[in-house]
Amino acid sequence: MEIIEYFRTENKEYWLTKLGECEWDAGRMLHRRLLDGSMKQLIGEEAKILLLTDGDNLVSFCTLAPKDDIQPTDLTPWIGFVYTFPSYRRHRHVGKLIRHAEELAKAAGAEKTHISTNH
């Protein structure tokens, strides 16, 4: 398995198609915002979309971004849009992705990361 950053990959169209296969409402919104180019406007220009891949399959994804849906706030950065596709659930794959996001945030100088959820 490999973690890639959507905005840095050369194969954005392929991974955008894979993101579009997500049945979760927030995942579909992420897909639409990437299609129309408004995602970074929503969560910040420095936003990263992290994809955990298994060959050509998308396992999990999340964002690491300056902003999330809780606004206004001085809290940053945020891990959001956390999702694992059903066939990969129950194997703790998303934990790898979250740890990677936390490592990126720490390397950028953040002491904490935040996650917004209604669960």
Side-chain angles (χ1 to χ4, degrees), residues 79-119:
I79 295 173
F81 292 91
V82 180
Y83 181 81
T84 299
F85 282 87
S87 61
Y88 286 95
R89 291 181 184 159
R90 301 190 181 274
H91 299 283
R92 301 178 185 238
H93 294 305
V94 78
K96 296 173 191 171
L97 202 54
I98 290 173
R99 280 189 299 280
H100 183 74
E102 290 172 330
E103 289 168 7
L104 290 173
K106 185 176 181 179
E111 294 180 21
K112 297 178 182 181
T113 54
H114 308 276
I115 295 177
S116 170
T117 180
N118 60 358
H119 298 287

Side-chain angles (χ1 to χ4, degrees), residues 26-46:
R28 287 194 298 256
M29 192 261 289
L30 172 68
H31 179 255
R32 283 191 311 272
R33 293 277 188 154
L34 288 170
L35 275 173
D36 71 15
S38 66
M39 194 63 205
K40 286 189 174 184
Q41 180 183 354
L42 177 69
I43 62 174
E45 288 299 317
E46 300 85 26

Side-chain angles (χ1 to χ4, degrees), residues 3 7-8 10 16-17 22 36 50 66 76 85-86 93-94 108 117:
I3 297 173
F7 292 115
R8 299 181 87 189
E10 293 179 14
L16 184 59
T17 300
C22 177
D36 71 15
L50 305 174
T76 192
F85 282 87
H93 294 305
V94 78
T117 180

